[in-house]
Amino acid sequence: MLNPIIAYLAFYWLTQSILLQRDELSATKKALEESAKSQEKQEQHASKTAKVNALSTLINAHNNDISNLRSNMEFLSNQLSQSGPIYSPIGHSINIEEARVLQKNMTEALETSLKRRMEAMDEVTKLLHAVEM
């Protein structure tokens, strides 16, 4: 008579432990899915951060180029406004035609660098807006 009661209790505890394990497994699966989503978001954020850093470095390089070109153009303009020999920004003696060509080339290089800097800044702005959303 005691055997069926013990068997029933054993079966009951077995089913309860299986149900508890199933619930725990479901909770663990849900936690892992949330962790995977969080990891994916972190990877996307890290990728965007790396892009922003790279673009910032590129913008700084363009700023340096722009500063150097402006300084060289100012130097050349001063040379052209004075009477006497004309020197290039690197110290070579040049004639007025060479100075005008050099000035034109520096203007084109300045425009290109300004354009590229603006493109990089626009891309940074887009990335930052994407991060905020």
Side-chain angles (χ1 to χ4, degrees), residues 2-19:
L2 196 55
N3 249 356
I5 294 173
I6 293 173
Y8 174 75
L9 289 175
F11 180 73
Y12 175 77
W13 287 326
L14 178 66
T15 56
Q16 289 301 315
S17 68
I18 289 173
L19 292 174

Side-chain angles (χ1 to χ4, degrees), residues 58-70 105-121:
L58 184 62
I59 290 169
N60 287 337
H62 286 303
N63 285 339
N64 288 338
D65 288 345
I66 291 166
S67 178
N68 288 338
L69 285 166
R70 285 182 176 164
N105 291 342
M106 284 192 286
T107 302
E108 290 171 358
L110 181 62
E111 289 171 356
T112 300
S113 196
L114 285 167
K115 180 182 173 187
R116 288 183 179 161
R117 180 184 70 176
M118 196 60 169
E119 289 169 354
M121 291 174 72

Side-chain angles (χ1 to χ4, degrees), residues 68-79:
N68 288 338
L69 285 166
R70 285 182 176 164
S71 294
N72 289 341
M73 288 177 70
E74 185 178 332
F75 175 82
L76 192 58
S77 292
N78 288 338
Q79 290 292 308

Side-chain angles (χ1 to χ4, degrees), residues 91-106:
H92 294 129
S93 179
I94 55 176
N95 62 37
I96 194 154
E97 291 83 24
E98 292 171 326
R100 298 272 183 223
V101 169
L102 183 58
Q103 191 176 36
K104 181 183 176 222
N105 291 342
M106 284 192 286

Side-chain angles (χ1 to χ4, degrees), residues 27-47:
T28 302
K29 181 180 176 184
K30 185 177 178 182
L32 285 173
E33 288 171 353
E34 290 174 3
S35 177
K37 289 178 185 177
S38 177
Q39 181 68 24
E40 184 178 329
K41 286 181 183 179
Q42 287 177 346
E43 289 174 8
Q44 290 172 352
H45 183 69
S47 173

